[in-house]
């Protein structure tokens, strides 16, 4: 007696073939998916980086320690005072570069991690700009920010010192090529004195692009004037010179921090210097973190990677965070649990917030970036 009809047997064979084909398609899909997952993606990933206590010391690896090591800030020859707690500066680590991009699997994981950000690689590394050039620019920005932080701190403490706007270099095809040289000190625009970079920018903006400007410089100790026609660039007006502030401080302030670039540590350096030069802990020994650029006048400017820095601060155990006011829109809705974010526009704002933390009263009156 037949257990299956011929139609039933044919149907079973078709089902077997169909099932086998399905598994083959699934296997191919999994292989293709795996290949795509490990393939390089056109992105880099920003994540919380190392945290450095400006009141602490750095070891041979560049990490901050509470014990023996090289002080991150030292002021030889001047009276300094014991400090307590921490004034942490924060960094962002970037995973990937044009030569070694992260894979799609890592990018997908970063999309769902609130402490990380996925950035198009062309945004992080503009075309025709090498990794070496990016590193050099970041290192120069760090060096300049350290000098500006010293200037801001000493100005806050009432010290007087001369300062100049000094030409570092000229970019390719600069309108000032052959007219202005590296190491020239820029002292005026159209007869109006300029004492800092902001005043230089404002004077050039007032002059306008396409209209000749008379630039006063000091070269090798001698005063000279040159005529340059500024051009429009990125919403501003420039003469094609890269400049920095040069200061003649009344004493030496040394900042030792390797392998970190960019200008965003300026405010925290300034606070660390002030703390060392004044009796008592300006934040009462609390663990405070923060970020922000700073200039000679004490103006605090915005920075990149604020969300990653918030999580870095939380991971380091900070309960208080000083953030540039111009970054508040990026902070709101992204504040990790247990962190209060004060909004600061100037160095004085930051000191007021630290004083409120120190005294334990009045923090409710300090402006904050809303948590959500």
């Amino acid at each position: 007696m037949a257990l299956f009809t011929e139609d039933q047997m044919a149907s079973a064979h078709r089902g077997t073939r169909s099932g086998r084909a399905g598994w083959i398609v699934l296997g191919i899909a999994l292989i293709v998916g795996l290949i795509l997952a490990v393939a390089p993606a056109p992105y880099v990933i920003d994540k919380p980086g190392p945290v450095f206590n400006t009141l602490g010391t750095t070891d041979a690896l560049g990490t901050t320690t509470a014990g023996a090591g090289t002080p991150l800030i030292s002021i030889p020859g001047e009276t300094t005072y014991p400090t307590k707690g921490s004034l942490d500066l924060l960094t962002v680590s970037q995973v990937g570069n044009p030569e070694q991009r992260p894979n799609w699997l890592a990018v997908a994981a970063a999309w769902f991690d609130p402490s990380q950000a996925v950035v198009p690689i062309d945004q992080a590394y503009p075309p025709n700009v090498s990794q070496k050039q990016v590193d050099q620019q970041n290192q120069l920005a760090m060096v300049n920010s350290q000098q500006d932080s010293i200037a801001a701190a000493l100005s806050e403490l009432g010290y007087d010192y001369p300062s100049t706007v000094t030409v570092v270099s000229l970019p390719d095809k600069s309108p000032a090529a052959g007219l202005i040289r590296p190491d020239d000190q820029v002292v005026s625009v159209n007869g109006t004195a300029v004492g800092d970079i902001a005043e230089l920018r404002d004077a050039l903006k007032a002059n306008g692009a396409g209209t000749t400007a008379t630039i006063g410089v000091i070269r090798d100790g001698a005063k000279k004037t040159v005529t340059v026609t500024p051009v429009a660039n990125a919403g501003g007006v420039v003469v094609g010179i890269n400049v920095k502030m040069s200061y003649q401080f009344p004493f030496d302030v040394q900042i030792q921090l390797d392998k970190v670039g960019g200008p965003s540590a300026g405010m925290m350096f300034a606070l660390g210097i002030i703390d060392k030069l004044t009796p008592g802990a300006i934040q009462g020994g609390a663990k405070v973190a923060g970020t922000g650029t700073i200039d000679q006048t004490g103006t605090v400017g915005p920075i990149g990677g604020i969300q990653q820095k918030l999580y870095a601060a939380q991971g380091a155990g900070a309960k208080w965070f000083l953030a540039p006011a111009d970054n508040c829109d990026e902070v709101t809705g992204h504040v990790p649990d247990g962190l209060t974010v004060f909004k600061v526009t100037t160095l004085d704002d930051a000191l007021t917030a630290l004083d409120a933390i120190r005294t334990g009263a009045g923090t409710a009156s300090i402006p904050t970036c809303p948590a959500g």
Side-chain angles (χ1 to χ4, degrees), residues 109-243:
W111 276 113
F112 295 99
D113 187 337
S115 72
Q116 300 186 31
V118 176
V119 181
I121 199 162
D122 287 346
Q123 180 178 324
Y125 295 90
N128 303 319
V129 178
S130 69
Q131 176 72 53
K132 182 178 180 180
Q133 289 174 312
V134 171
D135 292 342
Q136 288 174 338
Q137 290 169 358
N138 285 335
Q139 193 57 45
L140 177 61
M142 169 58 81
V143 171
N144 289 342
S145 78
Q146 291 175 359
Q147 294 300 298
D148 290 340
S149 68
I150 297 169
L154 297 191
S155 294
E156 179 69 29
L157 295 174
Y159 290 95
D160 291 323
Y161 52 86
S163 60
T164 56
V165 180
T166 303
V167 178
V168 178
S169 62
L170 282 72
D172 293 339
K173 300 179 181 179
S174 166
L179 301 169
I180 298 178
R181 302 175 186 174
D183 296 326
D184 283 355
Q185 296 175 9
V186 180
V187 295
S188 66
V189 175
N190 296 328
T192 301
V194 293
D196 57 41
I197 295 172
E199 290 182 357
L200 173 60
R201 289 172 179 160
D202 290 343
L204 291 174
K205 184 176 181 181
N207 181 89
T211 302
T212 57
T214 301
I215 311 295
V217 301
I218 296 177
R219 180 179 302 159
D220 298 327
K223 292 184 178 180
K224 295 178 64 69
T225 57
V226 297
T227 302
V228 184
T229 302
V231 297
N233 181 270
V237 177
V238 301
V239 291
I241 53 176
N242 298 320
V243 297

Side-chain angles (χ1 to χ4, degrees), residues 1-9:
M1 180 177 66
L3 296 177
F4 299 98
T5 66
E6 291 182 1
D7 287 345
Q8 289 174 323
M9 292 179 66

Side-chain angles (χ1 to χ4, degrees), residues 24 41 56-57 65 74 79 81 86 91 93-94 143 145 161 180 188 203 223 252 267 276 281 284 297 312 333 336 364:
I24 292 172
T57 60
T65 62
S74 59
T79 300
Y81 300 89
S86 64
T91 67
S93 293
Q94 195 166 80
V143 171
S145 78
Y161 52 86
I180 298 178
S188 66
K223 292 184 178 180
D252 190 23
M267 178 182 67
K276 291 202 168 215
T297 67

Side-chain angles (χ1 to χ4, degrees), residues 257-283:
L257 184 62
D258 297 330
K259 301 177 182 178
V260 176
S264 65
M267 178 182 67
M268 299 310 292
F269 282 139
L271 292 172
I273 294 165
I274 291 171
D275 200 3
K276 291 202 168 215
L277 287 172
T278 54
I282 59 175
Q283 87 295 30

